[in-house]
Amino acid sequence: MNVLVIGSGGREHALTWKIKQSPRVQKVFVAPGNAGTASDAENIDIDPLNFAALASFARQHAVDLTVVGPEAPLCAGIVDHFQQERLKIFGPTRAAAQLEGSKVFCKQLLRSAGVPTADFWVFHKPAAAFEFVEERFGETPMDVPLVVKTDGLAAGKGALVCFTMEEVKKAIRRIAIDREFGDAGNRFLIEARLSGPEVSLMAITDGQTILMLPPAQDYKRAYDGDRGPNTGGMGAYCPAPVIDEETIAWAGENVFVPTIHAMKRARMPFQGILYAGLMLTPQGPKVLEYNVRFGDPECQPLLMRLQTDLVDILELVLAGRLAELQDVAWDPRPAICVVMAAEGYPNDYRKGDTIRGLETAAALPDTKVFHAGTKLVNGQAVTSGGRVLGVTALGSSVANAKLNAYTAVKEIRWQGAWCRKDISDGSLPIAVKS
Ligand code: AMP
Ligand code: GLY
């Protein structure tokens, strides 16, 4: 069979690499892809939001299955478009993708389904929001435990965590008056600020059966020790020992099951990857947000550990027969992914630098260098994005996986390349079952 992967980041390179391993797959196309997917598969130059062109490509090239990486095409309805054209595609419909595309939709669904999440209030106008915070916290302006969030997609930047009245008012102004996030801020939420460690818990579902995937943790801040600005994610590892088996099972029952049921009751059955960003608060796990796709970079260490044929799993989901899936096999070894970024990221960054040392890194055992912001120029990989590579490695322990990943990082260089040095730190030792 032939498969089409939509997207161009590290997550999509990992999906491509894994799908390519299936003995049933002949060709993998990636739209638009990067330098890494160009060598592992075949890139096609079509924009992920050009549904008509993608569908017509899929038809002309006998694509049997399309897999969507990023949220933008899902929220814009790529799955509905392909389904109307009777093309098989993995991911949620536009209606179901609102779980990520609209935080107001998500929070209202969580509330109605009784899923634990922070208290929240919805606003359309800044005046009502100012009035609300003054009324509630006017007497304690130095202690205002709130988060102000845009309703719509804002590339992970639309959540403004606040501690004082001044910060809350500034956040409301940025979203609703300066309109820094454009239409994403047409509606906005004020949420209670929670505290605790965060974990990325993903599940794959056909709308009926839910298969929980091993937990991962994402290092979102730019610099070591969790300092600096937020990024798309500077690294991740899996499994993350911050959450134990019992709590994962609890989240399955109390977070994923009621959410999937509520979506079904609302006639928006959810099929695809459901990713819960959980905060492990002293009162138990609470949902911070849902994403409707694999996390990036969480996908890279996760798929590095998956031993079962991913295409078999995706096809069972599409057939609504996930319940028939026998055991899923995971490499017992942990995996870590270190993101190598371009100089300047997450602000304006350098582009167009030639990347050296990729062959030496590729030859290291238990290591895979996934490309993100790269492109081929005259047969050479050059930087073209902020997050450039996701250097991913397995190891007998987290410490060993970390050593393997950073050994590969040392082989790779370009002008201004940098990465966090502490990915996976803070983790407890994981006992590797044989
Ligand atoms: P979100 O886009 O909703 O996932 O938020 C991005 C980040 O903001 C999360 O990963 C958290 O670190 C932080 N955050 C979001 N909501 C809350 C909350 N209610 N309390 C504390 N931190 C939050
Ligand atoms: N790594 C966080 C995300 O994919 O949204």
Side-chain angles (χ1 to χ4, degrees):
M1 63 189 286
N2 297 335
V3 179
L4 170 62
V5 174
I6 310 279
S8 62
R11 165 185 49 212
E12 289 76 26
H13 188 193
L15 284 164
T16 301
W17 170 81
K18 191 72 216 169
I19 289 167
K20 198 73 199 285
Q21 288 170 10
S22 170
R24 298 166 50 214
V25 170
Q26 271 102 45
K27 278 194 114 164
V28 183
F29 303 101
V30 190
N34 55 39
T37 60
S39 63
D40 283 348
E42 189 180 322
N43 286 354
I44 56 164
D45 190 16
I46 304 180
D47 188 283
L49 293 173
N50 190 347
F51 303 161
L54 291 168
S56 110
F57 178 90
R59 202 172 292 293
Q60 278 161 22
H61 293 80
V63 168
D64 302 283
L65 172 64
T66 298
V67 181
V68 189
E71 63 277 14
L74 293 168
C75 293
I78 190 172
V79 169
D80 311 60
H81 188 102
F82 271 55
Q83 283 175 350
Q84 271 155 24
E85 300 218 7
R86 301 195 182 286
L87 291 161
K88 281 215 263 177
I89 183 162
F90 177 83
T93 59
R94 179 185 185 141
Q98 288 182 92
L99 276 180
E100 176 164 0
S102 165
K103 288 207 193 287
V104 173
F105 174 91
C106 175
K107 294 290 285 190
Q108 286 171 346
L109 186 112
L110 290 171
R111 185 187 268 166
S112 74
V115 175
T117 190
D119 285 342
F120 69 98
W121 300 268
V122 179
F123 299 93
H124 296 82
K125 296 247 159 43
F130 288 131
E131 199 177 308
F132 167 83
V133 291
E134 270 299 342
E135 204 168 281
R136 291 261 175 154
F137 299 99
E139 283 170 18
T140 55
M142 296 315 287
D143 177 23
V144 184
L146 297 177
V147 182
V148 188
K149 292 186 181 182
T150 60
D151 174 47
L153 293 177
K157 300 205 168 85
L160 307 172
V161 180
C162 305
F163 294 83
T164 64
M165 182 65 82
E166 198 182 317
E167 286 172 348
V168 174
K169 289 190 171 169
K170 188 169 163 207
I172 296 169
R173 268 199 301 275
R174 285 175 63 190
I175 293 174
I177 297 176
D178 305 340
R179 302 196 48 90
E180 198 178 309
F181 306 93
D183 285 349
N186 284 352
R187 286 193 294 182
F188 59 101
L189 298 115
I190 297 184
E191 247 180 60
R193 172 162 52 77
L194 307 172
S195 60
E198 289 179 48
V199 63
S200 307
L201 198 53
M202 289 175 262
I204 194 161
T205 177
D206 58 2
Q208 200 81 35
T209 301
I210 299 165
L211 171 71
M212 303 291 292
L213 303 176
Q217 219 167 6
D218 175 20
Y219 289 65
K220 285 192 174 126
R221 299 296 197 95
Y223 312 128
D224 286 17
D226 265 331
R227 286 172 303 110
N230 257 319
T231 70
M234 294 302 297
Y237 76 118
C238 168
V242 66
I243 185 166
D244 59 25
E245 288 297 331
E246 198 184 330
T247 314
I248 294 172
W250 184 92
E253 287 303 314
N254 297 281
V255 172
F256 287 86
V257 168
T259 300
I260 295 300
H261 278 173
M263 291 301 284
K264 205 164 132 190
R265 274 199 308 277
R267 297 183 196 283
M268 303 175 205
F270 188 95
Q271 209 175 66
I273 303 290
L274 186 60
Y275 161 145
L278 294 181
M279 192 166 256
L280 305 174
T281 77
Q283 290 78 38
K286 294 192 181 186
V287 176
L288 292 182
E289 64 161 349
Y290 274 128
N291 295 320
V292 298
R293 36 123 190 129
F294 279 112
D296 187 347
E298 292 95 320
C299 182
Q300 289 84 312
L302 187 82
L303 291 187
M304 193 90 175
R305 298 184 57 235
L306 178 65
Q307 291 171 328
T308 304
D309 189 332
L310 178 62
V311 174
D312 287 346
I313 303 178
L314 301 181
E315 288 212 310
L316 282 172
V317 168
L318 283 178
R321 292 174 26 223
L322 188 59
E324 291 170 28
L325 182 69
Q326 303 301 319
D327 234 11
V328 177
W330 297 97
D331 194 314
R333 295 172 297 170
I336 102 162
C337 170
V338 176
V339 169
M340 294 181 74
E343 188 181 325
Y345 179 78
N347 300 316
D348 282 347
Y349 48 81
R350 279 178 70 102
K351 282 184 198 173
D353 292 299
T354 302
I355 305 170
R356 309 203 183 274
L358 287 169
E359 297 76 19
T360 320
L364 295 167
D366 295 325
T367 304
K368 175 73 189 172
V369 178
F370 293 115
H371 288 232
T374 69
K375 65 176 182 190
L376 277 184
V377 176
N378 301 327
Q380 294 247 359
V382 305
T383 64
S384 66
R387 292 192 293 172
V388 177
L389 302 171
V391 181
T392 310
L394 291 157
S396 55
S397 62
V398 172
N400 189 246
K402 181 181 180 194
L403 179 67
N404 290 343
Y406 282 102
T407 301
V409 164
K410 280 209 195 79
E411 297 295 339
I412 301 170
R413 47 200 188 280
W414 71 84
Q415 179 79 40
W418 63 279
C419 65
R420 271 182 71 159
K421 300 289 189 294
D422 63 347
I423 303 303
S424 81
D425 285 6
S427 74
L428 307 165
I430 302 179
V432 174
K433 295 182 215 110
S434 56

